[in-house]
Amino acid sequence: MHGILGAVALAPQLAEDEVIEAIDPAKDVDGFHPINVAGCRSARRAGACTPYGCTLLIREAVAEPAGNTR
C-alpha cells in the first residue's frame, strides 16, 4: 500500500482524531495527520501529496495567489 486516503464522516462510534492519528504520516495522502499538517506549514518538509499538488496547481493557474480575488 502506497497511500491512505481517509474518508470522513466516520461512523459515530469512531473518533476522527484517533483514526487520523492511526494513519502512518508517510502514507497520509490528504495530510490530515498532525505531523503532515505541520509539514505543510514548513519549508523544510514537502508535506502530503494532495495539499502539495493543490498548491502547485494554484501557482500554475494564478501568478500571484495572495490577495487575488478571482
Side-chain angles (χ1 to χ4, degrees):
M1 183 177 346
H2 298 285
I4 299 172
L5 185 75
V8 277
L10 299 170
Q13 68 270 25
L14 298 173
E16 187 175 309
D17 290 343
E18 290 179 18
V19 172
I20 289 170
E21 290 177 14
I23 296 172
D24 179 350
K27 296 184 181 284
D28 175 21
V29 175
D30 277 330
F32 290 154
H33 192 281
I35 289 174
N36 290 331
V37 171
C40 286
R41 296 181 182 156
S42 168
R44 290 176 281 170
R45 288 185 50 114
C49 64
T50 300
Y52 180 70
C54 291
T55 302
L56 290 178
L57 201 68
I58 290 168
R59 287 185 181 152
E60 283 290 319
V62 183
E64 296 277 340
N68 194 318
T69 57
R70 283 204 275 172

